[in-house]
Amino acid sequence: PTPPPPILPRSSPPPAVFDPPPLVHSPASPLPPPIHSSVHGAGQRRPAACVPTHPASGAAVGVPPRGLLPLTQKAMLVLPFVTYCPYNALALDKQEGEEIAASLGTEGRIAILRNHGLLTTGKTIGEALLWMEWVEAACRHQVCALSGPAEGEAPLLCSEATNQKTMEKGRSGFAETGSARLDDPTDWEAETRRGAGSGWGVCGRPW
C-alpha cells in the first residue's frame, strides 16, 4: 500500500506544494492561476490563501437553487460565511476568476461555485483548509440526509429560531475578532497530511 504523506513538525518549512508563488503553476494545469490571482488581490481582505476543490457533495449542493441548507450544526455554523457564484465557463480566463473573487464580497470565506465545486479562503493555508473541511462535511451531511429518509418522509428540521441562534454563534465566533481559532498551528500536522492526500489545489502561505 502507498504510505501516507509524512507529518511535518511545526518547525519545518512546508513542502513546495503548500507554498507556490501566487502566479506560478504547472503548464499542465492552467486552471488555478486565474482563480488564485484574482482571489489574492480581491477587496480589502486580500486573503493570503485559497483552496478550490471539486467534491461530489460540494458540486451536488451547488445545483439546487437553495444551495447549502441549515440541516446540521456544521452547516449552520458556516452559513454566515457562505457565498455563491454562478457557473459561466471553465475558469481559464481572468474574468472568470474575478467573478469568483467578487462573489466572496467582504464577509465570504466559502464560495459554493454553482454546478462546479467549492472554494475557501483564509489568512493562512491552515485557515483555508479548515474552512474547506467544515463546508465539505456540511455538504456531505446534506447529501446523506436528503437521500436517507424513507419515501414520503420529510427530514427533521430545526426551528428558524434555532437556525438563527446557531448561525449567529458561528458569525460571532468565527469572525476575525471572534473567540474561535481557525489558525491554530497545532492543527498543522493533520491538515498537511489531509491536504497532501486530497488533491486540493492549495495556494498561499502556511500557518
Side-chain angles (χ1 to χ4, degrees):
T2 303
I7 294 178
L8 300 179
R10 287 190 295 277
S11 59
S12 298
V17 68
F18 285 98
D19 194 19
L23 301 180
V24 176
H25 210 270
S26 166
S29 180
L31 292 177
I35 298 177
H36 290 190
S37 59
S38 297
V39 170
H40 290 323
Q44 297 179 348
R45 288 184 54 245
R46 294 183 180 275
C50 66
V51 179
T53 69
H54 304 87
S57 57
V61 167
V63 173
R66 292 188 63 190
L68 185 62
L69 303 174
L71 300 180
T72 63
Q73 175 180 277
K74 191 82 75 175
M76 290 182 235
L77 289 173
V78 302
L79 270 170
F81 304 97
V82 170
T83 64
Y84 295 87
C85 182
Y87 180 79
N88 300 297
L90 291 173
L92 294 173
D93 55 48
K94 186 177 180 181
Q95 180 179 354
E96 186 69 10
E98 289 174 349
E99 291 186 10
I100 293 173
S103 72
L104 288 164
T106 58
E107 299 299 325
R109 306 293 188 272
I110 300 164
I112 294 180
L113 310 177
R114 296 289 194 182
N115 312 90
H116 182 176
L118 304 170
L119 181 140
T120 59
T121 68
K123 297 185 296 295
T124 63
I125 289 173
E127 182 180 335
L129 285 170
L130 285 172
W131 280 119
M132 182 58 68
E133 183 176 355
W134 276 53
V135 70
E136 278 197 3
C139 290
R140 288 196 305 273
H141 297 167
Q142 178 167 318
V143 171
C144 291
L146 296 183
S147 62
E151 184 176 354
E153 182 182 14
L156 181 64
L157 303 177
C158 296
S159 68
E160 182 60 23
T162 297
N163 292 345
Q164 292 301 322
K165 182 178 181 180
T166 308
M167 285 191 283
E168 183 54 38
K169 289 289 186 182
R171 183 180 291 107
S172 59
F174 294 124
E176 292 189 3
T177 57
S179 58
R181 289 290 305 276
L182 285 170
D183 57 352
D184 188 344
T186 59
D187 289 331
W188 173 244
E189 293 95 338
E191 292 305 322
T192 53
R193 170 174 284 181
R194 177 170 166 77
S198 68
W200 290 348
V202 181
C203 180
R205 66 167 184 255
W207 293 98

